[in-house]
Amino acid sequence: MKIENNGIWQRFVESRIVAKSSVEEIVRRIEAELNGDTNDQTVLEWLVRARLATPYHAKILAAGGSGPFVFGDYLVLGQNETGVLQGTFNAIHRPSGFHVLLDFATSMGDIETNGNGEPIVFDSDRVQKFVAVESPYIVPVFDSVLLADYAFVVSGVPKGTTLFEKVPRKARLPWQIAITIGLQIASVLEKIHGLGEVHGDLSTRNIWLDGKSHSRLRLPWAADVAFQEVDMNTNESSLDYLPPERAMNEPALAAGDFFSLGCVVLRLITGKSRLVGFSNSQKRAQLDKSLAVDWAKYDVPKPVAEILSRMLDVEPSRR
């Protein structure tokens, strides 16, 4: 079979994974190396082996699709199907060859929704403010892209592992390291609050640790909290970090970010999330209840303990 008549090849060309100017040369290579054995399987395997298609591309092509893989200047290489980055896409910026992460606000025309089923508005202006934030303690945001059918945020690929993964249930960090991480994230919050924005969804799931105590915060493109299902292995969900006022549909506040950060530091020092032991429905009922923490038990100095207690105050005006 001539390669031009092969269905996989036709879809590959249609996908625009490679430039049209490269097609003739690739045809010559395939025909020379496969010696006419150009069925769907051999063509697909050759494209992956030649690193012209990724396993993600191959999966879509084999299923009869041709993408979309190309979004403006970005070529999608694969999708993150599990973990805290689930639903995001690894991509390459073609002009520079730089690897990035794409976070779509729309997926095949469907609008993202928050935990209450309400549509989340893609705020390009908010994202552009985050692009201007310079800090060694953030996962950098590079751009927001609005196309005819898609909107997405372009950010760096987080390095290391999240605090959620790095510090498993009941594990603790020395209070000095936990406070160091807290101060790093607080410096980022100060910058975004200075821009008139809030993070709105801070937890151990979006803080990466790429060294012993060097952290990076991932900034969300929307301030709407997307409640996560409880992980049965840890009994932990985003409710453990949710400021009480947000559960009452109050707008996100800078004070709420510091409450969430206090919950993160609490989790790192004590090995327990704020609402550990409660089911999700029970956690909602406990959100506005004060938490007494014996910081001395974890060798936390009194001045530091007083600051942490203020951060964890259920009343925003006292934080």
Side-chain angles (χ1 to χ4, degrees):
M1 177 192 297
K2 282 188 171 294
I3 185 64
E4 290 87 346
N5 298 326
N6 179 273
I8 291 290
W9 174 254
Q10 291 173 350
R11 292 194 291 276
F12 175 76
V13 173
E14 182 184 343
S15 74
R16 299 188 295 140
I17 292 174
V18 297
K20 285 185 178 180
S21 58
S22 304
V23 170
E24 287 188 12
E25 173 60 25
I26 295 172
V27 167
R28 285 194 290 270
R29 287 176 59 190
I30 291 179
E31 291 182 337
E33 294 183 29
L34 294 184
N35 195 27
D37 183 18
T38 53
N39 60 54
D40 284 359
Q41 186 66 25
T42 57
V43 171
L44 201 58
E45 290 176 352
W46 188 91
L47 289 171
V48 173
R49 190 166 60 249
R51 297 188 176 181
L52 295 172
T54 67
Y56 171 76
H57 297 150
K59 180 180 178 181
I60 303 298
L61 293 171
S66 57
F69 302 125
V70 179
F71 300 88
D73 289 335
Y74 299 92
L75 170 65
V76 166
L77 303 176
Q79 182 177 14
N80 294 301
E81 298 182 350
T82 60
V84 295
L85 293 177
Q86 183 175 1
T88 61
F89 292 81
N90 296 311
I92 189 168
H93 180 243
R94 281 177 146 172
S96 66
F98 195 72
H99 286 260
V100 295
L101 195 71
L102 305 186
D103 195 349
F104 282 77
T106 60
S107 177
M108 298 301 180
D110 295 330
I111 305 298
E112 290 278 346
T113 58
N114 63 17
N116 298 318
E118 302 163 338
I120 299 175
V121 178
F122 182 78
D123 189 340
S124 182
D125 291 338
R126 169 184 165 90
V127 177
Q128 287 303 319
K129 289 181 182 179
F130 288 164
V131 171
V133 176
E134 295 183 3
S135 171
Y137 307 121
I138 63 167
V139 177
V141 179
F142 298 125
D143 200 3
S144 62
V145 181
L146 299 172
L147 303 177
D149 298 316
Y150 299 93
F152 56 90
V153 175
V154 184
S155 66
V157 179
K159 297 179 180 179
T161 55
T162 64
L163 290 176
F164 178 75
E165 299 163 308
K166 186 75 172 180
V167 189
R169 185 185 181 190
K170 296 184 179 180
R172 307 200 315 258
L173 294 180
W175 72 266
Q176 297 93 333
I177 293 179
I179 294 299
T180 296
I181 292 170
L183 288 172
Q184 292 170 356
I185 302 305
S187 72
V188 176
L189 294 178
E190 185 178 18
K191 288 178 180 289
I192 65 176
H193 294 165
L195 296 172
E197 297 291 340
V198 296
H199 187 283
D201 190 21
L202 200 154
S203 75
T204 55
R205 295 173 185 266
N206 46 36
I207 300 175
W208 267 257
L209 202 61
D210 59 4
K212 184 178 180 181
S213 60
H214 187 273
S215 61
R216 293 181 186 271
L217 176 64
R218 188 163 182 256
L219 305 178
W221 54 262
D224 305 66
V225 174
F227 294 128
Q228 300 180 36
E229 293 293 329
V230 172
D231 186 322
M232 298 309 293
N233 293 322
T234 64
N235 192 39
E236 187 172 323
S237 78
S238 59
L239 286 172
D240 291 278
Y241 305 92
L242 185 70
E245 62 270 17
R246 291 303 305 279
M248 296 181 284
N249 294 320
E250 295 291 329
L253 303 171
D257 280 346
F258 283 110
F259 178 89
S260 298
L261 180 56
C263 292
V264 169
V265 176
L266 169 76
R267 168 69 179 79
L268 299 180
I269 292 177
T270 68
K272 299 176 183 178
S273 55
R274 177 174 175 256
L275 301 175
V276 65
F278 294 102
S279 66
N280 237 19
S281 59
Q282 291 171 328
K283 285 180 180 184
R284 291 176 185 273
Q286 295 292 322
L287 282 171
D288 61 350
K289 303 293 191 299
S290 297
L291 177 69
V293 181
D294 182 6
W295 295 108
K297 177 181 177 181
Y298 304 98
D299 300 323
V300 178
K302 187 175 180 180
V304 176
E306 290 175 351
I307 294 173
L308 292 173
S309 295
R310 286 184 59 188
M311 292 174 70
L312 291 168
D313 198 309
V314 296
E315 173 53 51
S317 64
R318 295 197 294 263
R319 291 176 199 149

